[in-house]
Amino acid sequence: MCGIIGYVGEREATQVLMTGLNQLEYRGYDSAGIAVRTGGNLDVRKRAGDIETLEDAIEENAPTGSTGIGHTRWSTHGPPTDANAHPHTGEDGEVAVVHNGIIENYGSLKEELQAVGRTFTSDTDTEVIPHLIEQFIAGGASPERAFREAVDRIEGSYAVVATFANSDVVFAARNDSPLVVGVGGDGHYLASDVPAFLEFTDQVVYVDDGEVVTLHSDRFEVTTTDGLPVEKSVETVDWDVEDTGKSGFAHYMLKEIHEQPTALRQCLSGRVNELDGQVELDGLEAIGQPSQVQFVACGTSYHAALLGAQRLRDKGIPARATLASEYAVSPPPIDDSLVTGVTQSGETADTLAALREARGRGARTLAVTNVVGSTAARECDAALYIRAGPEIGVAATKTFTSQVVTLSLLAEYLDAGDADGALVRERLRALRDLPDLVQRVLDDSRAEEIADEYVGSESYFFIGRGPNRSVALEGALTFTEITYEHAEGFAAGELKHGPLALVTDETPVFTMVTGNDEAARKTVSNVKEVEARDAPVVAVTDGKTDVEDYVDDVLALPGAHPSVLPLLANTQLQLVAYHVANQLGRSIDKPRNLAKSVTVE
């Protein structure tokens, strides 16, 4: 899986494809390639490694033509090699294919094709598709019929795009993997994500599962797999191409950390009536008033869901967060639950599977996502957008913060009429003030100094209690993702039940201590436990306890309402992770082995 770009039109396809591939780098990849129709032939160039390696391979003799497809691959079947890179072709050179997803029955299809004499040159599941297409063409099928027949034979998740040597038409199909059409004045585009063609057009059509796209230079058609026409609306994407640039920052991640105040203002805009103590969220009529809420999510979104569930429980609304990959195989009783999928992209395969399981059992579903028109948004009964704008860095930053604030708004919305008005207004004021508080942390942070002090340590631990436990988990995940160093997050009280065995003077412990309640005071006791074992301790704190007396360094937080302090602590940890990774020379925006949008289970 990873990034797809396709084009039919008046431009030089190579230029369009390479622009698209560069825009898709943020999704993570380990090889890249293009196929361009040139004078009745397909010119295929592909290389393991980064896009610059591919650019070097085509620099002096670029394919010329106005129809083509491209791909960035994140390995699932076979290592990253030139042979395993996409596009893949059959033996006859008639068709080239790119594919995201997993073909579950590729083994049996490969055996069938080998039995009739077809030779395979890669380890991938994808290669069965062009061989199937060529086999159907050899039997007399047209390119379109051969493509449809091949799609009918494959099982699994896929977004498949094919181009042919003898036709300037591109065909595509989708099942459980994102695909979007770009409608332009100088041609038409296909991609796995909008940024791939945003430089050329902001007019998009979202493709649904079970649909086939036929792309011409002057038009496009969407049909079912049986060939029945499907009416699709063209939507305008409100992202500006400049939003996907670095704006002078060294990395997208650093830019997106600093964009958090703006993202939060966008998230809150028009939704908070502080005077009346009300939250107004449009389009949620379908979710009603659930008896409980079940969150399903993965990775960073799961940590946001943990905080969202805590917000709801604080209001007396039963709520729990479950890893989507576990929910799909062992779902809890649903009853009158609202099952809420938290997914930045709206395309996360595990989360979609969990939501579909819930819907199949009669639950109402809600998508909390950043992407208008994403699969989760279209399939759920309602969608609640976090409005963070495009996030290019693989490690989530502004989307995590915006998810948590959106879930806080959802908690207030579901609790409407039952809460103390003065307390609601106090919490809403805290949310209103949050963007400025995040800016203060960004302006005053000592994170770079802390990174200087502890870079090169043996391991890193992150601890906290209550909401700060979720921040500890997220801090450790972000640190691991971009530094490639070992880091773990724990509930602070669990240290003595095992993890203390790993504590040494080479394991810095980052502890979140906010407020002066029982949880904070007990966390200070946990700090003393690790300090007694010579571990260096960094406290992320608002100074309401005496924790500073027992630690080596402090990352200070401004005074704020308890409900927003975890997000301020998280901002400090984002900066620490970034600066350690930068000092280690890591690929911060595109960490090895990781993808931004995980579209396989």
Side-chain angles (χ1 to χ4, degrees):
M1 68 175 191
C2 216
I4 286 173
I5 178 68
Y7 176 69
V8 184
E10 302 169 7
R11 295 176 177 269
E12 277 292 334
T14 296
Q15 185 258 334
V16 172
L17 300 177
M18 294 307 297
T19 298
L21 294 183
N22 276 289
Q23 291 299 323
L24 291 171
E25 278 195 297
Y26 72 94
R27 294 168 68 92
Y29 69 103
D30 49 41
S31 59
I34 62 172
V36 176
R37 181 173 179 260
T38 303
N41 295 300
L42 290 173
D43 191 336
V44 179
R45 313 285 182 92
K46 54 184 185 175
R47 293 290 187 274
D50 57 27
I51 289 173
E52 286 78 7
T53 305
L54 176 63
E55 288 173 335
D56 291 342
I58 65 177
E59 184 176 9
E60 293 183 3
N61 184 26
T64 58
S66 57
T67 300
I69 57 176
H71 191 265
T72 53
R73 176 178 184 253
W74 187 81
S75 300
T76 55
H77 293 71
T81 64
D82 289 355
N84 288 334
H86 295 214
H88 286 286
T89 60
E91 293 179 58
D92 305 328
E94 295 185 50
V95 60
V97 167
V98 295
H99 159 238
N100 282 351
I102 292 178
I103 306 304
E104 295 174 356
N105 63 334
Y106 89 98
S108 59
L109 291 173
K110 186 173 182 177
E111 290 177 3
E112 175 187 321
L113 289 160
Q114 287 173 324
V116 297
R118 292 202 162 264
T119 302
F120 286 73
T121 60
S122 81
D123 305 312
T124 68
D125 55 340
T126 302
E127 195 182 353
V128 300
I129 304 173
H131 282 290
L132 273 175
I133 292 172
E134 287 191 350
Q135 192 72 7
F136 286 122
I137 288 175
S142 66
E144 179 176 359
R145 176 46 51 192
F147 179 78
R148 289 180 181 274
E149 293 282 358
V151 168
D152 189 55
R153 291 293 311 279
I154 62 178
E155 299 171 4
S157 63
Y158 54 80
V160 179
V161 183
T163 186
F164 292 81
N166 62 357
S167 172
D168 61 358
V169 179
V170 171
F171 299 99
R174 169 199 164 133
N175 184 59
D176 288 343
S177 195
L179 195 62
V180 60
V181 175
V183 181
D186 54 7
H188 287 75
Y189 307 79
L190 276 163
S192 49
D193 205 353
V194 171
F197 54 67
L198 192 57
E199 179 175 323
F200 306 109
T201 181
D202 61 359
Q203 302 297 294
V204 304
V205 174
Y206 295 99
V207 182
D208 290 307
D209 287 348
E211 294 180 345
V212 175
V213 179
T214 305
L215 206 68
H216 304 265
S217 62
D218 59 349
R219 68 189 188 281
F220 71 95
E221 297 150 10
V222 181
T223 60
T224 65
T225 52
D226 296 328
L228 299 176
V230 178
E231 292 295 323
K232 306 292 286 189
S233 60
V234 179
E235 302 181 31
T236 301
V237 177
D238 62 1
W239 292 354
D240 190 285
V241 68
E242 292 183 2
D243 292 341
T244 60
K246 293 181 183 175
S247 302
F249 287 91
H251 296 91
Y252 285 112
M253 182 182 178
L254 186 60
K255 170 183 176 250
E256 288 153 6
I257 290 172
H258 282 266
E259 285 178 339
Q260 286 178 115
T262 299
L264 291 171
R265 292 185 183 98
Q266 291 171 174
C267 178
L268 294 166
S269 178
R271 290 173 163 176
V272 175
N273 186 330
E274 190 182 324
L275 262 179
D276 295 338
Q278 292 183 345
V279 169
E280 299 167 1
L281 300 175
D282 296 333
L284 299 191
E285 295 79 13
I287 69 173
Q289 194 66 36
S291 62
Q292 61 176 313
V293 177
Q294 295 176 1
F295 291 104
V296 292
C298 304
T300 285
S301 296
Y302 172 67
H303 300 153
L306 287 172
L307 283 166
Q310 182 70 57
R311 297 277 193 269
L312 286 164
R313 290 196 299 271
D314 289 344
K315 295 176 171 300
I317 301 172
R320 62 184 293 182
T322 304
L323 288 166
S325 55
E326 294 298 311
Y327 186 99
V329 297
S330 183
I334 286 177
D335 303 322
D336 188 37
S337 297
L338 171 69
V339 180
T340 301
V342 186
T343 160
Q344 180 275 137
S345 67
E347 305 292 349
T348 309
D350 288 321
T351 306
L352 290 174
L355 289 167
R356 288 164 182 162
E357 172 68 26
R359 289 203 73 183
R361 298 176 64 202
R364 289 166 290 172
T365 55
L366 171 67
V368 177
T369 182
N370 195 36
V371 182
V372 177
S374 60
T375 301
R378 296 198 307 276
E379 291 189 2
C380 287
D381 296 307
L384 180 57
Y385 296 106
I386 69 171
R387 300 176 177 174
E391 184 177 74
I392 306 302
V394 166
T397 52
K398 64 179 180 176
T399 54
F400 172 77
T401 310
S402 296
Q403 283 174 337
V404 174
V405 169
T406 302
L407 295 178
S408 298
L409 294 175
L410 178 64
E412 300 293 348
Y413 175 86
L414 292 177
D415 195 37
D418 297 327
D420 180 285
L423 291 177
V424 172
R425 286 190 290 274
E426 182 181 320
R427 288 193 295 268
L428 294 181
R429 278 195 298 274
L431 291 176
R432 177 203 64 191
D433 294 341
L434 180 58
D436 291 336
L437 291 168
V438 171
Q439 189 63 57
R440 284 179 58 186
V441 171
L442 294 171
D443 292 341
D444 300 336
S445 178
R446 296 181 56 246
E448 190 167 5
E449 297 173 44
I450 299 297
D452 288 341
E453 180 71 21
Y454 298 109
V455 67
S457 296
E458 183 178 278
S459 190
Y460 301 82
F461 292 163
F462 297 76
I463 62 172
R465 288 175 180 260
N468 285 331
R469 170 182 174 259
S470 302
V471 174
L473 296 175
E474 176 61 13
L477 176 63
T478 302
F479 196 95
T480 299
E481 284 179 317
I482 65 169
T483 68
Y484 312 160
E485 300 295 303
H486 176 253
E488 290 191 61
F490 303 102
E494 290 300 298
L495 277 174
K496 56 187 175 291
H497 296 290
L500 270 179
L502 300 175
V503 169
T504 72
D505 58 2
E506 282 295 314
T507 53
V509 178
F510 289 81
T511 179
M512 272 54 68
V513 184
T514 56
N516 191 27
D517 58 7
E518 184 179 4
R521 293 190 293 273
K522 286 185 175 181
T523 305
V524 174
S525 297
N526 302 133
V527 167
K528 294 176 183 177
E529 292 172 352
V530 294
E531 185 226 11
R533 288 154 178 86
D534 298 323
V537 183
V538 180
V540 186
T541 181
D542 58 352
K544 295 295 179 66
T545 65
D546 61 351
V547 70
E548 296 181 26
D549 296 338
Y550 308 102
V551 302
D552 299 272
D553 285 291
V554 172
L555 286 166
L557 303 178
H561 191 274
S563 64
V564 300
L565 281 168
L567 291 178
L568 301 178
N570 182 70
T571 302
Q572 291 280 27
L573 296 184
Q574 290 172 347
L575 290 167
V576 170
Y578 171 82
H579 287 297
V580 170
N582 196 38
Q583 290 189 38
L584 291 171
R586 306 305 193 208
S587 178
I588 290 174
D589 292 327
K590 297 169 286 181
R592 68 187 182 198
N593 303 331
L594 300 179
K596 182 67 173 174
S597 180
V598 184
T599 56
V600 295
E601 292 182 67

